[in-house]
Structure formats: C-alpha cells, structure tokens
Amino acid sequence: MDKPEIKELKKKLLSNRKNGYDRLDAAALEHMEPYCRDYMAYLDAGKTERLCAAESVRLAQEKGYRPFIPGMELKPGDKVYVCNRGKAVMLAHIGRAPLDQGVQIAAAHIDSPRLDLKPNPLYEESEVAYLKTHYYGGLRKYQWVTIPLELRGVVALKDGTRAEVNIGADAGDPKLVITDLLPHLGMEQGKKPLSEAVPGESLNLVVGSRPMGDEEDTNRVKLAVMQLLYEKYGFTEDDFTSAELEAVPAANACDIGLDRSMIGAYGHDDRVCGYAALRALLDLDETPARTAVCMLADKEEIGSDGVTGMQSAAFDTFMEDLCASQGATLRRCYENSFCLSADVTAAYDPDYGEVYEKRNAAYVNYGVGLCKYTGARGKSGASDADAETVAYVRGLLDSCGVVWQIAELGKVDAGGGGTVAAYMANRNITTLDAGVPVLSMHAPFETVAKLDCYETYRAMKAVYQAEHGVR
C-alpha cells in the first residue's frame, strides 16, 4: 500500500481521540460559556443537598413544572415533579409514547462530601468554643483544615417550627475554621500517613473565644456562643439534637486558568452532572417521544441508603404513580427503560499519573466520560453495562455530535468507587454510567473543564430526546 492508502486505512480502522476544542465549532463554544455561568450560579445557591433540591425545584417551576399529585391525569407534554423530604427531586416530562414502552432517565446525586455536626457538638476547651463534626462521605481529612468554612442547614424544634441556619455565606459574615498543627511542632505528625495525620475526632470547628460573665464562672465562651445562636435563630443547646447542620467550604465557584477554560468549586461531585441532567430536561422545547425522567438523589456518598437515597422506594413510588396514570405496569416500564447514571469520573492528572492507566483514563476537554463499569478490584459493586447498551449510547451521542470518551476510574487495584448505576440496574433498568471528568475529586475545591460540563449537558439532552429505547 502507498502512503495515502495507509493513511486512509488508519483513519478507518484505528481510534483517534481528539481534544474537544479541535472538534467543536464556534457556535457550540459560544453556547458553552452562558451554560457554565448558569451552572456556577447553581453551585453557589446549592451548597448542601437541601439547598440544591430547593434551587432545582425553583428552576423547574420557572419552566412550568408543577407538583405531582398521585391520581392526577397526565397527558403528553405535561411536566411534573416531586421533592422527597426536601433532599431529593424527581421530575418527568411526559412523552408521546405510553409508559409501558419505557422512559429515558438521567440519574445523578446532589449530596457531596462535607462535615456534619454531631448531635451534641458544642463544647469549650481552654477558653475556646468548638463544634464537633462527623465527616460525611469519602473525603481526605487533611484537606479540610485551615480553610474558611460555612455552616448551613436546619434546626427542627419540638413545636414544629424550623430555623434555617446560614453562617458564613453572606457578605460580612464570620467564617469558621479547623486549625492545624504548626510545622515547627509537626515533626511527628509529618511522619504519619495522610489518612492518619488528621484524625476524624480533631475536625472541630472554632466558633468563638470571647467570654461572658465573671471570671470564676465556667463555660463562659460556650455560653456566649450559645447566646448569639439563640438571639439569631431561637434555638438552645438541646436543640442541636434535632438539627442537620453541615460545614461546607466558604468559597464560591470561579473560573480557573488564565484562559478561564475550567471551573473551580466545591460540590462538582455530583452537582455538575445533576445540573446537566436537570437543565437538559428543562430545556426540552418539544414533547419528547419517550417520557423523560430526571432523578436527583441524596445519600450517594454514603451508599445511597436512607429514605432520600437511590435505594429508597421513593423513586419506585414516583414511577409507579406515573404508570398508574396510564394504566401501565411498573415492571414493564422498567424493563423497557434506559438510564444514564450521571456521575463524575476521575480526570487524568499527570502529577499523579502512577494511579491511572493512560489508555483507559478520562482526559480534560475530551468530553463526557462513559464508564462501562465502576466498582473496585474485580468490578465489585458495579452494574457493568453490556455491549448493546454502550453501542446504543455511542449511537445517540454520535448522532447529536456530542464529544465523548470512554474511561475507567483508575488502574486496576488502585482503588475504586461507585455510583447509583447498580441500584437502577437492580430495578431491571438498562443503565450506563457517564459524567464529567474531575480533578481533585472529593476535595473541598474541585476542578472541571467547561467543555466537559457542556458536553455532558448535551449528552443528557440526547438521551431525553431519543426516539427509541435501548432494546
């Protein structure tokens, strides 16, 4: 063969992944920026799962979505939602096809690693007041010291009222912090593994140091702090028992890089996919062929358990009620449905290249990352999508010009992780993982590429607009 023939053969037979900036036209890049600005505003408004759920509902209502009431009549074009206990949101845009032919689902989660207050958190030691925390999710504890933190959440009182707590988010607010050992005295600490250098029980928030009362009194700083909380929010120390208060990073989303091509923020995992799934649904201009469903779940970071997690019957109840409106059976709907489990994946980081397998890693600016399986070691905990499912998604994305890549989380036996995919697959719903590659995943400040955010949104939209299911 001559050189032109060899070149053509390579083009035909060999894979040739390209950077998304070499594939997208100017029009797509122009739409990317406003989408990412809206996403950054969504992140800033939704620092906790409760706040994120509330913001999602607000955006849905602006687009004509109304609360779903079991038994209500539904017709093609109707748009409904259910907010599960203020922490998870399920939405549906009713399609032209009957529900027994299945639905198109994008499922993400809106909880992120954080520090929760313990039930009895407030104490004083050496005339400094602290709040004790219990970390939530798979975070690296050393990353949470010496950074400014906010305290967000609710305190439920016995009389049925509820106080919304916001300390550190508004302009002029004080911040909270967890102190660390100075390097001059940190020799022994520095010899410990990263996972042990900062014990979980030392993640205590500094909340005050100014005493009140006479010098012979006890707990003077603790009392002063409690008085401030009572004056602003009306709760006492015993009310911490029925509180959900979360310490989260006190930093808003911002552009990263001199070229502003990336976004730095807390909570990309997994609100970057949650927003893509939500926004793609809200942006459907026409009634979809198949009913489009968006699931924004809670509790994924700790196993998807609980009444607001993906393993809860809440999703089944929502779907069964939708099916009942058309006389369809839930199991028939499920077996004909497709779900894109929208969760982030690890972006290749050349500074830590030893834990990645370069041929099967996700790269920044190469688009949405498809993951045939997640899990750990021998794919433990994964749903492991079949070949037909991956082919179906490839076809959908290619037909819409979406930039995508396929990847694993890291090297075999280097670690692992899970998503909600297994819990969707356990319902007999054909499922594939896909999401945005993230640098510094689970850190208080994560980084993603704008191009990957936008292509993930376009992938979600392609799934919702599909004319037929995977089978």
Side-chain angles (χ1 to χ4, degrees), residues 95-103 289-291 326 328:
R96 301 189 302 273
L99 285 165
D100 58 9
Q101 292 184 17
V103 300
R290 292 157 58 83
T291 293
Q326 295 186 1

Side-chain angles (χ1 to χ4, degrees), residues 251-309:
N252 286 339
C254 64
D255 289 339
I256 293 291
L258 300 182
D259 57 3
R260 298 179 179 269
S261 62
M262 295 179 282
I263 302 170
Y266 163 68
H268 285 314
D269 182 7
D270 182 39
R271 291 169 193 143
V272 67
C273 296
Y275 182 71
L278 174 68
R279 177 69 179 268
L281 186 74
L282 302 187
D283 284 353
L284 293 179
D285 295 325
E286 299 179 354
T287 300
R290 292 157 58 83
T291 293
V293 174
C294 174
M295 175 68 202
L296 303 177
D298 182 27
K299 296 291 184 286
E300 191 276 341
E301 296 295 357
I302 56 172
S304 294
D305 293 303
V307 292
T308 53

Side-chain angles (χ1 to χ4, degrees), residues 6-130:
I6 294 292
K7 184 177 180 180
E8 187 62 30
L9 195 62
K10 283 185 176 180
K11 183 178 178 181
K12 178 180 179 180
L13 299 181
L14 299 184
S15 177
N16 183 24
R17 294 200 297 179
K18 291 183 179 181
N19 189 296
Y21 283 99
D22 295 322
R23 296 183 57 189
L24 293 179
D25 58 23
L29 295 176
E30 184 178 347
H31 289 120
M32 177 182 75
E33 288 296 336
Y35 170 83
C36 288
R37 284 197 299 271
D38 291 343
Y39 166 56
M40 292 164 73
Y42 180 80
L43 277 178
D44 293 345
K47 288 283 187 75
T48 70
E49 74 284 2
R50 283 181 182 268
L51 294 171
C52 193
E55 180 66 6
S56 300
V57 168
R58 186 188 71 80
L59 294 174
Q61 289 175 337
E62 285 185 351
K63 287 288 190 171
Y65 280 74
R66 55 189 174 130
F68 176 66
I69 300 172
M72 69 189 299
E73 182 182 351
L74 294 176
K75 62 183 184 302
D78 284 346
K79 298 181 285 188
V80 295
Y81 74 89
V82 167
C83 187
N84 180 14
R85 296 167 171 87
K87 295 183 178 183
V89 185
M90 297 161 281
L91 310 97
H93 189 155
I94 306 302
R96 301 189 302 273
L99 285 165
D100 58 9
Q101 292 184 17
V103 300
Q104 298 292 99
I105 306 168
H109 67 91
I110 53 176
D111 62 315
S112 296
R114 59 178 190 259
L115 304 177
D116 290 340
L117 293 199
K118 289 190 174 187
N120 294 303
L122 182 60
Y123 73 100
E124 179 177 332
E125 181 66 41
S126 301
E127 298 184 286
V128 177
Y130 297 89

Side-chain angles (χ1 to χ4, degrees), residues 131-176:
L131 290 170
K132 292 199 71 66
T133 71
H134 191 139
Y135 65 92
Y136 172 99
L139 53 78
R140 308 188 79 180
K141 297 183 285 292
Y142 76 89
Q143 295 177 335
W144 288 73
V145 299
T146 73
I147 64 171
L149 299 167
E150 304 172 10
L151 192 65
R152 310 297 293 272
V154 299
V155 181
L157 306 181
K158 290 189 293 184
D159 63 5
T161 60
R162 193 175 69 174
E164 303 277 347
V165 175
N166 174 1
I167 300 173
D170 297 334
D173 270 7
K175 313 298 182 191
L176 307 180

Side-chain angles (χ1 to χ4, degrees), residues 319-401:
M319 291 301 303
E320 188 170 17
D321 288 340
L322 291 183
C323 288
S325 71
Q326 295 186 1
T329 61
L330 180 64
R331 69 175 186 274
R332 194 69 63 220
C333 175
Y334 277 175
E335 73 178 9
N336 291 319
S337 294
F338 171 72
C339 174
L340 200 66
S341 171
D343 207 341
V344 297
T345 188
Y348 179 77
D349 188 336
D351 281 343
Y352 305 98
E354 66 275 7
V355 298
Y356 298 88
E357 200 269 280
K358 293 184 70 172
R359 293 176 184 81
N360 288 283
Y363 289 84
V364 167
N365 288 324
Y366 276 69
V368 59
L370 307 185
C371 295
K372 187 178 184 296
Y373 46 81
T374 53
R377 300 175 301 281
K379 302 184 181 179
S380 177
S383 67
D384 203 359
D386 58 30
E388 291 84 356
T389 300
V390 180
Y392 170 74
V393 175
R394 286 177 62 199
L396 280 181
L397 301 188
D398 285 346
S399 68
C400 296

